[in-house]
Amino acid sequence: MTQLNRRRFLSSGIATAGGGVLGALGLSGIADAAPGGTTGTAGTAGTAATQGAHLPRIDSHEITSGWTFTAADGTTPPGDQVASAQRIAGLKPAVVPGTPLTSMIANGEYPDPLYGHIVTDAVPDTLKDTDYWYRVAFPVPRLVPGQRFWLQFDGINYLGTIWLNGTRVGTIEGAFKRGVFDVTDIIAKADGTAHLAVLIGKLDYADPPALPSYASGVTRGGRNGGETGITLKNGPTFFCTAGWDWLPTIPDRDLGIWQPVTWSTTGQIRLTDVHVDPTLSADLSTADIAIGLTLDSAFGSPRSVVVRGTLDGREFTRTVTVPAGASTVTVTSQDIAGLRLNRPKLWWPNGYGDPHRYRLSIGVESGGQVHDERTVDFGVRRIEYTKPIQSQTGTPTDCLAITVNNQPIMVMGGNWGLDEALKRIPRERLREQVWLHSEANLNLIRNWNGQSSTEDFYEACDEFGILVWQDFFCSTEGPAPANVTRDLDNIRDCIVRFRNHPSVLLWCGGNEGPPPQPLVDGLDALVAELDPKRASLTSSAGDTGKNPIGGYSSGGPYHWVTPSTHFGLNDGTHWPPFHNEVGSYSIPTLEFIKKMIPEASWEHPDDSWADRDVNGNGGNGGGAGYLQLTAERYGELQNLPDFARKSQLMNYECIKAIYEAHAANMESASPGKPYPRTGVIMWMTNPAQPSFVWQMYTHDLEAHSSFYAVQHACRRVNVILNSKTYDVVVANHTRAAVRGTIAVTLYDLDGKAFDNTSWRVGGAAASDHTVIGNLATQLNGAPSDVAFVRLSFKDAHGAELVRNFYWIENPDRAAGFLSLNDVAPAAVSVVADVKHGRDSIELTAEVENIGKAVALMVHLQVYDTRTGERILPATFDDNYLNLVGGESSTVRVRLDTGQVRDHKDIGVRIDGWKIDQRASRLRGHGLAVTFNKAALSTQPPAKTFGG
């Protein structure tokens, strides 16, 4: 029978979700998990362990296929029978890792509820009201004396009871705690096959579904977390699935085995944890590595063992005595000279240097036998968390201000609420999402309430230099966790599990308000015990612990406001300096809007729009208010393409200002401005579902204008126009002062230059902002109510460091941008080429404005010319281009071999604010270049949108 590889299924499933087909599961038999087979991540150990005739050691094998499941409705036999070869009626194929709903979608029971449906209409909310049995059989090796067999669960939601070959093995409580079980005695009698059964227990507390209502203008039911918020009493679970202002109610509440299940073997001694703790000297010249080993010995008495490892190409050994049972051993550079690194390569946040990682391999052996081994990747970096800034009382306060490796870091971050609504998050998809953050020039992700805590997530953040603000499982949107012990057990395991990752910046108790005092005290004690070099914050709203860190808060705004509002809020006169939640509407492209809501709703906003978050948190008067605001600013909305087109400008100007306003006031205080900015984290950057709000790319990983707004605003050297004061500011995040010339040209609505200004920059300070000049007079003299502003900063050799572009209201007669509807369409030339590599192809497009009118927000998409579908993910290194007459830009995008294989006929299509298709010239070498006629069809004979 057909068996399904979970990672391949989920990767392809996301790509085709808009079409309503996620895949199919056939009936399956015994899982393919034989030693050395293809299911796991490795075969037998590749060192001395494979050479020993008496004690073979087998590394982790993931059990991915052969799983079945059923609701535990009272007719299912007890666990000792489910965990056997006995035939059980009613079992259906299961996706593991995955949730019950994921399996039901794969089995064709329900459509993908996130595309073309209201979730609670497409899937009954009763899925949360039952426990679930999962079952699998897998081959196991014949154990030899001294060999131990381990079964590991990396994450279940919410309560798990484990049975193996008729025997109850143990339990797991909470979604973020691992379960590791020594099942040697059971496997020794297994005769080659293990029968595993897992009973997934439902949540202790659950609300009914929170239903969408477009007419209400607010989030589902007017509150987050369900009708009463009681879901939060569960503590460590995906409580946002009860329904939030960015997520519909998920009918199964993401129950299930959501992380991998693996097995492995060791000798008598197991390495249960390896803690790598680097200490980098103040001058960055040396790093001393301390290694803490937690051991579990099955020997009945103390045993002399050799700790053997390699670091940076150097081998080391140390003999220690290990007692019976659990113990810890620490080795340092004082014990082993090879644990001191001279002139170490450092791990840097994105945009400041290479995020280098070292690899430590370490094992324990005795009597010529390797009992266990681990490999740990870690980074060397030095973090300082605060600097004194004048507080509201006039006295200096230790404020949150990050310095890494002696380099001040202006935090430019994004909030993740949940990696994916149904936890369909294979490693490839998650890595792509983190990569998009690095490409957008961000340097931090806040893992909101810990909802996206996986090894894959941290590995990707390590790789791309993304710092992580790690929340835990408490929010002010409902009652406190009922079981403090369970909560702290999950927190403990997360700290131990993820503390080796250099990306982890700090630990935080929860969201927007302090958890109950026992949790505050417990978190502080755990961090002091397990990871004392990292900061521990009480909550995202403030710190009440010992030696508290100040100067940060949440609080929005979460809706669309003018760019000048953001510059006014962040001009150095408002407390606090660090803002970890501020966001706006973020409307997708036309193509994605059509994918995510039913066709009957395209032109008529309704509850389907509300299920895709268009009401946000009620700001702007909800979805209807946002539509009215868009029409007032850019003109009456004629049809859906017109709404999508105007919304890209709304996205761009507001979201760009969120980051630019902070960068333009970073680091240094000035007279009358005592509160310089130290960081901003946008709410949100990653969407858990198809959405109209709070994102910089869409659920299918298409980067729309919000992404490029972030990318352009967060450049490490930037020249910024402050839309409140009209100052021109250099924001320099780098370690060296920058010099050169800033050229400013202002254009009228016809694209004609009406003013030119230039300033010499003698040295814009490192890690700081520098005001260079002011354009208020020139803008007041603009010949029309809207002006275009082009800024170019070139170094002393004439090389352009950065280019920036704005459409700005005339300060004397601010009236929005209705007059943009009257500008002449732009003529563009687009010449595209394709270059084939060994494992990818690169598309290059030369885009030039060949007319006089400004080419505003020129947008390119890669698509399949046979089907018309977008090819995703495919992110150009620049997009939504703004070009004055005669100006050009070259943009690139890379497609991998799988995309090329799946899409034989690739093209690039063009749209923008207003394009003269007749006067434009399109040419492709090896691919088609066309206009996106659907997106450009913004003037129907009669208005069709709304009502």
Side-chain angles (χ1 to χ4, degrees):
M1 295 291 183
T2 302
Q3 293 184 337
L4 183 69
N5 180 283
R6 177 253 180 184
R7 292 196 182 277
R8 189 164 57 244
F9 161 72
L10 290 178
S11 296
S12 62
I14 293 297
T16 60
V21 179
L22 271 168
L25 268 172
L27 297 175
S28 53
I30 295 177
D32 175 15
T38 59
T39 300
T41 57
T44 53
T47 61
T50 61
Q51 303 164 12
H54 305 295
L55 196 62
R57 190 182 65 80
I58 302 172
D59 285 338
S60 178
H61 280 262
E62 185 177 349
I63 307 170
T64 58
S65 60
W67 288 91
T68 55
F69 85 116
T70 188
D73 58 5
T75 65
T76 313
D80 59 342
Q81 295 180 40
V82 181
S84 72
Q86 176 179 323
R87 181 175 178 82
I88 306 295
L91 293 174
K92 298 178 181 180
V95 177
V96 174
T99 70
L101 181 53
T102 302
S103 296
M104 293 172 189
I105 294 170
N107 293 335
E109 295 180 52
Y110 299 112
D112 185 319
L114 304 184
Y115 288 82
H117 302 276
I118 294 175
V119 174
T120 47
D121 288 350
V123 182
D125 195 64
T126 52
L127 299 187
K128 74 179 188 306
D129 297 328
T130 182
D131 302 339
Y132 290 90
W133 277 109
Y134 282 79
R135 187 193 203 205
V136 70
F138 58 97
V140 293
R142 188 176 301 278
L143 302 183
V144 301
Q147 191 177 19
R148 302 171 77 186
F149 191 100
W150 301 88
L151 185 63
Q152 177 161 326
F153 293 79
D154 283 346
I156 60 92
N157 187 35
Y158 168 63
L159 305 172
T161 305
I162 317 303
W163 295 75
L164 188 67
N165 284 14
T167 300
R168 188 176 186 271
V169 171
T171 60
I172 308 168
E173 296 188 15
F176 306 104
K177 184 176 180 180
R178 292 167 295 179
V180 183
F181 304 98
D182 183 346
V183 292
T184 305
D185 292 345
I186 298 172
I187 296 300
K189 305 172 186 177
D191 196 25
T193 301
H195 299 276
L196 174 63
V198 184
L199 180 63
I200 298 295
K202 64 185 179 182
L203 300 177
D204 294 322
Y205 309 96
D207 261 336
L211 304 179
S213 169
Y214 179 75
S216 73
V218 297
T219 190
R220 301 163 184 86
R223 62 162 297 138
N224 291 328
E227 183 178 321
T228 68
I230 197 172
T231 300
L232 277 86
K233 290 186 71 173
N234 296 294
T237 186
F238 306 113
F239 53 72
C240 55
T241 59
W244 225 262
D245 51 16
W246 47 269
L247 192 71
T249 299
I250 305 302
D252 66 354
R253 304 302 190 268
D254 284 348
L255 297 172
I257 305 174
W258 72 278
Q259 282 288 283
V261 181
T262 58
W263 64 266
S264 61
T265 70
T266 68
Q268 292 285 79
I269 301 174
R270 179 175 184 265
L271 278 169
T272 60
D273 182 62
V274 178
H275 180 204
V276 184
D277 183 15
T279 299
L280 181 61
S281 63
D283 64 0
L284 314 182
S285 63
T286 60
D288 292 294
I289 313 301
I291 303 172
L293 306 177
T294 306
L295 306 168
D296 177 59
S297 173
F299 289 118
S301 60
R303 186 63 58 102
S304 178
V305 302
V306 176
V307 176
R308 186 183 305 276
T310 61
L311 174 61
D312 200 29
R314 292 177 290 180
E315 296 185 0
F316 62 86
T317 61
R318 183 167 179 81
T319 301
V320 299
T321 299
V322 176
S327 65
T328 59
V329 172
T330 300
V331 293
T332 70
S333 58
Q334 293 182 331
D335 307 315
I336 299 169
L339 295 183
R340 164 163 282 197
L341 300 174
N342 293 308
R343 291 184 295 178
K345 298 177 181 178
L346 304 182
W347 186 92
W348 287 98
N350 182 41
Y352 295 89
D354 177 42
H356 181 81
R357 286 174 293 168
Y358 286 93
R359 172 159 291 182
L360 169 73
S361 296
I362 195 164
V364 290
E365 57 185 72
S366 67
Q369 304 286 355
V370 176
H371 289 273
D372 201 5
E373 290 179 317
R374 292 285 188 275
T375 297
V376 177
D377 292 338
F378 68 96
V380 174
R381 83 285 186 278
R382 186 171 186 269
I383 295 180
E384 298 163 75
Y385 290 95
T386 65
K387 76 173 185 179
I389 296 176
Q390 177 184 313
S391 70
Q392 292 168 300
T393 65
T395 59
T397 296
D398 286 334
C399 290
L400 186 63
I402 304 303
T403 298
V404 180
N405 303 334
N406 300 337
Q407 165 67 31
I409 304 295
M410 175 68 183
V411 168
M412 310 287 260
N415 282 278
W416 283 34
L418 190 66
D419 41 26
E420 205 278 330
L422 305 187
K423 299 305 290 184
R424 298 174 295 188
I425 191 68
R427 180 181 296 113
E428 297 80 7
R429 174 181 170 85
L430 195 147
R431 184 177 180 274
E432 189 77 24
Q433 290 169 242
V434 176
W435 174 81
L436 282 167
H437 283 67
S438 70
E439 286 295 291
N441 295 318
L442 295 178
N443 54 33
L444 179 141
I445 291 171
R446 176 181 167 220
N447 185 3
W448 180 86
N449 284 119
Q451 304 285 278
S452 302
S453 299
T454 66
E455 190 66 32
D456 289 345
F457 171 71
Y458 284 103
E459 286 180 2
C461 290
D462 289 348
E463 177 185 356
F464 294 115
I466 302 296
L467 295 163
V468 178
W469 173 311
Q470 173 71 15
D471 278 2
F472 287 118
F473 327 116
C474 194
S475 174
T476 58
E477 302 280 357
N483 190 324
V484 171
T485 299
R486 180 184 295 163
D487 216 68
L488 290 175
D489 282 348
N490 278 249
I491 291 172
R492 170 181 283 274
D493 199 55
C494 281
I495 293 174
V496 169
R497 184 178 184 181
F498 302 126
R499 62 186 172 179
N500 288 330
H501 289 280
S503 55
V504 178
L505 174 66
L506 55 82
W507 310 107
C508 180
N511 179 53
E512 294 185 347
Q517 197 61 40
L519 281 176
V520 174
D521 296 340
L523 172 61
D524 287 346
L526 286 172
V527 174
E529 172 197 352
L530 302 170
D531 197 23
K533 290 180 183 175
R534 285 193 174 96
S536 173
L537 304 180
T538 303
S539 81
S540 64
D543 189 16
T544 61
K546 186 178 179 180
N547 301 318
I549 294 173
Y552 71 91
S553 74
S554 305
Y558 298 99
H559 53 276
W560 196 96
V561 299
T562 62
S564 62
T565 300
H566 284 300
F567 277 95
L569 290 172
N570 296 286
D571 63 359
T573 67
H574 297 271
W575 180 266
F578 194 115
H579 206 168
N580 60 35
E581 287 187 16
V582 53
S584 178
Y585 277 85
S586 181
I587 308 300
T589 61
L590 172 67
E591 292 77 15
F592 191 65
I593 294 173
K594 288 182 174 181
K595 286 288 185 185
M596 72 189 198
I597 56 179
E599 185 172 356
S601 301
W602 287 356
E603 301 277 358
H604 307 285
D606 58 11
D607 288 353
S608 292
W609 287 54
D611 214 37
R612 302 286 83 83
D613 309 325
V614 78
N615 282 334
N617 69 341
N620 295 130
Y626 172 78
L627 296 178
Q628 180 179 347
L629 179 63
T630 303
E632 291 172 353
R633 194 161 180 85
Y634 285 101
E636 187 177 15
L637 305 175
Q638 299 299 311
N639 60 4
L640 185 65
D642 192 38
F643 167 68
R645 175 184 71 137
K646 288 171 178 170
S647 291
Q648 297 313 308
L649 277 74
M650 292 279 283
N651 292 353
Y652 190 86
E653 58 167 335
C654 181
I655 288 176
K656 187 161 173 264
I658 288 173
Y659 289 100
E660 286 194 339
H662 285 80
N665 294 282
M666 62 189 267
E667 189 61 26
S668 291
S670 59
K673 297 182 176 182
Y675 313 130
R677 303 296 93 180
T678 58
V680 58
I681 311 177
M682 187 170 79
W683 187 263
M684 303 162 72
T685 47
N686 175 68
Q689 69 137 354
S691 180
F692 283 110
V693 68
W694 301 329
Q695 59 191 348
M696 69 173 183
Y697 50 79
T698 48
H699 183 256
D700 62 354
L701 307 186
E702 181 179 36
H704 53 282
S705 68
S706 298
F707 175 89
Y708 294 97
V710 176
Q711 182 188 68
H712 295 159
C714 297
R715 291 173 286 203
R716 294 298 174 260
V717 175
N718 207 0
V719 55
I720 295 168
L721 176 61
N722 182 323
S723 60
K724 179 75 171 178
T725 64
Y726 307 110
D727 285 337
V728 174
V729 183
V730 171
N732 178 15
H733 302 252
T734 72
R735 284 168 275 179
V738 292
R739 296 171 173 80
T741 302
I742 293 176
V744 182
T745 309
L746 285 78
Y747 299 85
D748 64 17
L749 284 171
D750 294 327
K752 181 180 179 181
F754 67 86
D755 194 277
N756 292 280
T757 302
S758 66
W759 293 290
R760 291 285 299 165
V761 180
S767 305
D768 209 343
H769 75 281
T770 304
V771 177
I772 303 299
N774 187 276
L775 295 178
T777 300
Q778 292 92 325
L779 287 168
N780 281 323
S784 55
D785 59 352
V786 174
F788 300 112
V789 181
R790 182 186 186 276
L791 307 175
S792 176
F793 185 13
K794 294 183 178 180
D795 66 17
H797 304 288
E800 190 169 57
L801 299 174
V802 64
R803 185 191 309 172
N804 214 340
F805 188 91
Y806 300 85
W807 50 98
I808 293 286
E809 296 171 275
N810 185 318
D812 273 351
R813 39 194 166 124
F817 298 106
L818 302 180
S819 57
L820 289 180
N821 290 283
D822 301 324
V823 301
V828 297
S829 166
V830 181
V831 180
D833 291 274
V834 59
K835 180 180 180 181
H836 292 269
R838 183 163 58 180
D839 58 356
S840 64
I841 67 169
E842 182 180 86
L843 306 183
T844 301
E846 177 78 18
V847 184
E848 182 181 2
N849 184 342
I850 57 175
K852 295 181 179 179
V854 172
L856 191 63
M857 299 289 276
V858 178
H859 172 225
L860 293 82
Q861 282 180 330
V862 183
Y863 76 109
D864 187 315
T865 60
R866 291 182 296 174
T867 65
E869 292 293 321
R870 296 157 299 145
I871 299 174
L872 296 170
T875 305
F876 285 89
D877 59 4
D878 197 5
N879 212 334
Y880 291 91
L881 308 172
N882 298 295
L883 304 172
V884 298
E887 189 176 15
S888 65
S889 183
T890 301
V891 297
R892 295 174 178 82
V893 62
R894 187 177 299 274
L895 303 179
D896 62 33
T897 51
Q899 292 173 305
V900 175
R901 181 184 63 249
D902 295 340
H903 303 279
K904 301 300 183 184
D905 299 309
I906 295 173
V908 173
R909 61 190 177 200
I910 316 298
D911 63 85
W913 177 249
K914 295 181 77 173
I915 294 180
D916 187 337
Q917 298 180 43
R918 291 187 177 182
S920 297
R921 298 196 297 264
L922 308 183
R923 187 167 73 254
H925 301 142
L927 74 166
V929 182
T930 61
F931 290 109
N932 187 340
K933 292 188 177 295
L936 290 167
S937 298
T938 60
Q939 296 295 322
K943 176 186 172 183
T944 59
F945 188 80

